[in-house]
Amino acid sequence: MSIHTENELTELNHLQQQLMLAVEDDARRVEILATLLGEAACYRLAIYQIPADFVLSVVIPVYNEVKSLPQVIAAVRRCGFQCEIILVDDGSTDGTRDLLDGMRGEPDLKIIFHEKNQGKGGALSTGFRLATGDAVIIQDADLEYTPNDYRALLQPIICEGVDAVYGSRFITGQRNVPRLRHYIANKIVTMWSNLFTNLLLTDMETCYKVFRREVIQEIAPTLREKRFGVEPEITAKLARRKGLRIREVPIRYFPRSYEEGKKIGWRDGIRALWCAIRY
């Protein structure tokens, strides 16, 4: 049995209080971790203080996702940021509309119904215009992307004043192994887009794109693509803005099959090639 001196007990009690504070207070948690790990390690681990008044707008285009949508909303709510969650139902027919209708009145949700399906581009355009947060992120309504990556995605915007961040499934870091045909198609579309934008992205088609709100709301009224062509269209219009700073960070990806509800197809890939030229 160990015996502690009065000073040691005081120090242990102080440490316990610090740990309790670390759980409840973001700034104190960051301070303690910075002391223990060092600033360089904290930067690599995306440990930083979130401004108290920072609000993240999460735009979720929804089409027939009644099974996964409750889990996605719950995951966003656990992300560690103050969020306004903008759900744009794009003419769902599987019970998603009834699910969302039952969520009306929840204070962190903005729910919009498109009477006719307008595609992902149409849903995003609606959501972007309604955003009021400091930054805006795109979140698919399935479970392929995890909101646990939000902190890393937002670090360049909050800490360095970057204008837009792309989450890449193909740069340094652990990743789930994608299907070869999907990987090749993505690489072809990304390289083709890079030729016309003069950017050097590794994953132009990623869902996880984050923007300062002013940036995306200037672009939103000009968006014309209704389906997945909105990805190269947004990228092209960002690339034309002089002085705009874009960053890529690694993200995790959990691909689902077409049987599980994946919607993008080969025709969307062909359209993306055309959109890279058009915009």
Side-chain angles (χ1 to χ4, degrees), residues 146-199:
T146 172
N148 289 335
D149 285 331
Y150 283 6
R151 196 171 186 109
L153 287 162
L154 283 155
Q155 184 176 15
I157 290 176
I158 293 175
C159 299
E160 302 174 52
V162 168
D163 300 291
V165 177
Y166 279 45
S168 174
R169 295 164 286 182
F170 308 121
I171 58 178
T172 305
Q174 296 183 18
R175 66 184 177 92
N176 280 15
V177 178
R179 297 288 183 177
L180 178 62
R181 281 176 292 180
H182 293 162
Y183 175 82
I184 292 174
N186 186 293
K187 283 300 180 184
I188 290 172
V189 171
T190 295
M191 290 177 64
W192 185 252
S193 171
N194 287 344
L195 286 173
F196 291 93
T197 61
N198 197 33
L199 299 175

Side-chain angles (χ1 to χ4, degrees), residues 18-219:
Q18 285 185 312
L19 292 174
M20 290 177 64
L21 284 171
V23 172
E24 298 176 359
D25 184 273
D26 184 68
R28 187 62 178 148
R29 180 171 62 250
V30 171
E31 181 182 345
I32 292 172
L33 290 172
T35 301
L36 293 173
L37 302 175
E39 291 186 6
C42 285
Y43 183 85
R44 292 182 64 85
L45 294 171
I47 297 170
Y48 59 92
Q49 185 176 348
I50 302 169
D53 58 349
F54 184 88
V55 177
L56 175 64
S57 296
V58 183
V59 178
I60 308 180
V62 184
Y63 179 64
N64 289 347
E65 299 287 2
V66 68
K67 293 182 179 179
S68 61
L69 187 58
Q71 298 175 65
V72 171
I73 294 173
V76 171
R77 284 172 167 165
R78 294 193 302 268
C79 74
F81 289 87
Q82 181 182 345
C83 295
E84 65 166 5
I85 305 173
I86 304 171
L87 298 143
V88 184
D89 182 87
D90 199 31
S92 293
T93 59
D94 70 337
T96 299
R97 293 172 73 86
D98 293 334
L99 173 68
L100 289 173
D101 201 43
M103 295 179 178
R104 287 183 183 275
E106 296 187 23
D108 59 341
L109 302 183
K110 290 183 178 179
I111 300 172
I112 303 94
F113 294 109
H114 285 174
E115 293 307 316
K116 294 182 179 180
N117 181 267
Q118 298 181 29
K120 181 177 181 179
L124 288 178
S125 182
T126 296
F128 290 155
R129 290 196 298 269
L130 293 172
T132 62
D134 299 278
V136 181
I137 189 170
I138 302 169
Q139 172 70 56
D140 280 351
D142 54 35
L143 299 172
E144 290 190 327
Y145 297 82
T146 172
N148 289 335
D149 285 331
Y150 283 6
R151 196 171 186 109
L153 287 162
L154 283 155
Q155 184 176 15
I157 290 176
I158 293 175
C159 299
E160 302 174 52
V162 168
D163 300 291
V165 177
Y166 279 45
S168 174
R169 295 164 286 182
F170 308 121
I171 58 178
T172 305
Q174 296 183 18
R175 66 184 177 92
N176 280 15
V177 178
R179 297 288 183 177
L180 178 62
R181 281 176 292 180
H182 293 162
Y183 175 82
I184 292 174
N186 186 293
K187 283 300 180 184
I188 290 172
V189 171
T190 295
M191 290 177 64
W192 185 252
S193 171
N194 287 344
L195 286 173
F196 291 93
T197 61
N198 197 33
L199 299 175
L200 192 57
L201 294 170
T202 64
D203 191 6
M204 183 275 295
E205 289 282 353
T206 179
C207 161
Y208 272 169
K209 296 178 174 69
V210 195
F211 320 90
R212 288 193 299 105
R213 178 174 53 83
E214 313 89 84
V215 170
I216 194 59
Q217 286 189 334
E218 288 181 12
I219 291 173

